[in-house]
Amino acid sequence: MAAGSADKFSVLLPTYNERENLPLVVWLLARTFQQSGNNFEIIIIDDGSPDGTQEVAKQLEKIYGSDKIVMRKTISVLFSLGTAYIHGMKHATGNFIVIMDADLSHHPKFIPEFIRKQKEGDFDIVSGTRYKGNGGVYGWDLKRKLISRGANFITQVLLRPGASDLTGSFRLYRKEVLQKLMEKCVSKGYVFQMEMIVRARQLGYTVGEVPISFVDRVYGESKLGGNEIVSFLKGLLTLFATT
Amino acid sequence: MTKLGQWLCGLALLGSVWAALALAPPGLRLPGPYRQALLPLPVYLLVAFGCYSLATVGYRLATFNDCEEAAAELQEHIRAAREDLGRRGLRF
C-alpha cells in the first residue's frame, strides 16, 4: 500500500511583518515536501502587515502556483492565533494540518519526521518538543532557559499533561481533531497552545512527540517580560482549575 | 474532575489520615513516639518536594540542548533560499 498517498498536508502560517522570512519559510517548506513526496499546500494568514508581507506572498503564489500557496487576509480586529487558525482551516483542503511559526524558529525539515511519527502510532496530534531527546534551543541565555524549564516544571506538576513541551507551537494535527479543539479552546498566547494539548487528552486524542530544535533569532529584541510571565501563570492556574 | 478537584480530594484524604493519626483524638491513639514522628510530616514532605523541584529544574536546565548546528544549518539554507528565489524572480 502506497504510504499515505492520499494524505495532503495544509501548513498554516499566521504572519505579521514577516516580509523577510516568509519567502524563506515557503522555500524550505516547498523543498521539504517535494523531497518527501507528500502533497501539500501553504496557507498564509496575514494580519494586515504594513511591511509588504502580503505583496511578497502574492509573488510566492505566482512562483509556486495558487494550488500550493493560498493567501488569506484576516480582519485586523481581534487577531489572535486562534482566529488565524480558524480562518486558515476554512480553506484548508488537506486532511492534516501543520502549524508552525513563520519566523524560521521552526525548521520545516522536521515535518517529515512528524509525518513518520504520526503513521507509526496513528496519533491524532504530533507535537514538536524542545525538552526531550535531542530537541533543544539556540539563542537563549541561562535566564531564559531557566524560566522555560521552571515554567514547564510547574505545568507538568499541576496539569500532568502527558506531553513534555506544552507551549510549543510546531505541531501536526488531524484536521478534524484541530477543528474540534478550536471549538473548545478559549485561552490566548502561550496558554492557548497548552490548552490544546490538555483538552486533546481530555477528549481522548493521542499525542506523539518528536524532538525539534528551536532557533530563536528574535529573542534579543523581544525579551520575556514580567507581564508575559504573569499572564502565563494566570492562564496556567485557570487551566488547573477548569480542566 | 478538574486537576484542582483532584488535588483537593487528594489533600483532603491525606490530610484527614494525618490528622486522625497524628493529632490523635481519643479513641484512636497510637503510641507516643509514632505520633511525635507523624506530626511534622507535612512540613517534611513539603521541604522534600521543594528539594526535588530544585534538583529537577536544575538538572533539566543543565541538560538543555544548545542547537549550534541547527543555527549554522539554517544560515546555509537561508543563503540557498535567497539565491534560488532570486533566480525564480522574487523581488525581495
Side-chain angles (χ1 to χ4, degrees):
Chain A
M1 185 203 288
S5 53
D7 290 331
K8 183 172 180 184
F9 299 87
S10 302
V11 182
L12 297 188
L13 285 181
T15 58
Y16 186 70
N17 283 347
E18 293 292 359
R19 192 210 165 82
E20 293 271 323
N21 291 324
L22 184 59
L24 307 173
V25 169
V26 167
W27 188 86
L28 286 170
L29 280 167
R31 195 177 74 153
T32 302
F33 278 111
Q34 274 152 15
Q35 283 175 351
S36 70
N38 292 113
N39 197 2
F40 74 103
E41 64 179 353
I42 301 171
I43 302 177
I44 301 166
I45 311 117
D46 184 63
D47 182 27
S49 301
D51 72 341
T53 301
Q54 289 181 16
E55 204 268 320
V56 159
K58 287 212 181 66
Q59 287 191 55
L60 290 166
E61 208 174 333
K62 283 210 189 63
I63 293 176
Y64 286 100
S66 52
D67 58 324
K68 291 283 182 280
I69 311 280
V70 179
M71 182 46 227
R72 288 285 162 243
K73 292 180 267 206
T74 58
I75 305 164
S76 259
V77 185
L78 296 179
F79 180 84
S80 71
L81 221 43
T83 56
Y85 291 157
I86 292 176
H87 202 75
M89 266 200 295
K90 283 206 190 89
H91 310 279
T93 59
N95 56 332
F96 285 98
I97 310 270
V98 175
I99 64 160
M100 57 185 288
D101 291 351
D103 61 0
L104 291 175
S105 51
H106 294 144
H107 197 302
K109 71 176 181 181
F110 292 105
I111 296 179
E113 294 184 35
F114 285 14
I115 297 174
R116 195 175 44 238
K117 184 77 187 183
Q118 192 281 322
K119 299 233 176 305
E120 185 186 292
D122 197 28
F123 291 109
D124 298 305
I125 303 174
V126 177
S127 174
T129 173
R130 297 158 291 173
Y131 299 133
K132 262 170 59 172
N134 57 0
V137 176
Y138 175 83
W140 280 5
D141 59 11
L142 206 61
K143 177 176 160 207
R144 182 70 182 85
K145 286 184 188 176
L146 177 61
I147 295 174
S148 182
R149 283 296 201 179
N152 182 258
F153 178 78
I154 299 173
T155 306
Q156 296 290 330
V157 168
L158 289 181
L159 299 182
R160 299 191 320 273
S164 62
D165 190 345
L166 280 209
T167 54
S169 51
F170 194 3
R171 297 182 185 155
L172 170 72
Y173 291 85
R174 277 194 220 278
K175 187 175 175 190
E176 335 69 86
V177 171
L178 185 59
Q179 276 169 336
K180 188 71 191 275
L181 289 174
M182 295 303 317
E183 287 168 29
K184 295 198 154 265
C185 292
V186 295
S187 329
K188 305 261 180 289
Y190 291 120
V191 186
F192 170 74
Q193 302 292 358
M194 285 164 50
E195 192 184 359
M196 298 273 264
I197 297 281
V198 170
R199 298 250 177 240
R201 304 270 297 170
Q202 267 186 334
L203 293 169
Y205 294 130
T206 51
V207 179
E209 293 195 295
V210 168
I212 57 154
S213 46
F214 180 91
V215 178
D216 195 343
R217 307 188 298 156
V218 175
Y219 174 44
E221 298 150 32
S222 63
K223 302 229 177 281
L224 196 63
N227 274 337
E228 286 203 298
I229 296 182
V230 166
S231 64
F232 167 81
L233 288 174
K234 283 207 307 216
L236 175 59
L237 289 175
T238 307
L239 282 181
F240 178 62
T242 58
T243 62
Chain B
M1 190 190 281
T2 64
K3 290 289 181 298
L4 177 60
Q6 289 172 4
W7 274 69
L8 291 177
C9 278
L11 287 174
L13 192 64
L14 293 175
S16 47
V17 168
W18 171 81
L21 295 178
L23 301 180
L28 194 68
R29 292 210 155 227
L30 290 181
Y34 288 109
R35 273 187 284 123
Q36 295 235 349
L38 279 180
L39 213 48
L41 196 61
V43 178
Y44 288 164
L45 288 177
L46 216 56
V47 171
F49 177 71
C51 293
Y52 164 77
S53 303
L54 285 178
T56 304
V57 173
Y59 172 74
R60 289 178 180 169
L61 178 62
T63 56
F64 207 160
N65 290 327
D66 263 314
C67 304
E68 306 280 344
E69 336 77 46
E73 185 189 52
L74 183 61
Q75 288 305 113
E76 262 307 303
H77 288 173
I78 290 176
R79 215 181 348 255
R82 293 188 77 95
E83 205 183 288
D84 189 47
L85 285 170
R87 265 203 305 265
R88 297 211 211 184
L90 190 79
R91 290 180 333 274
F92 281 92

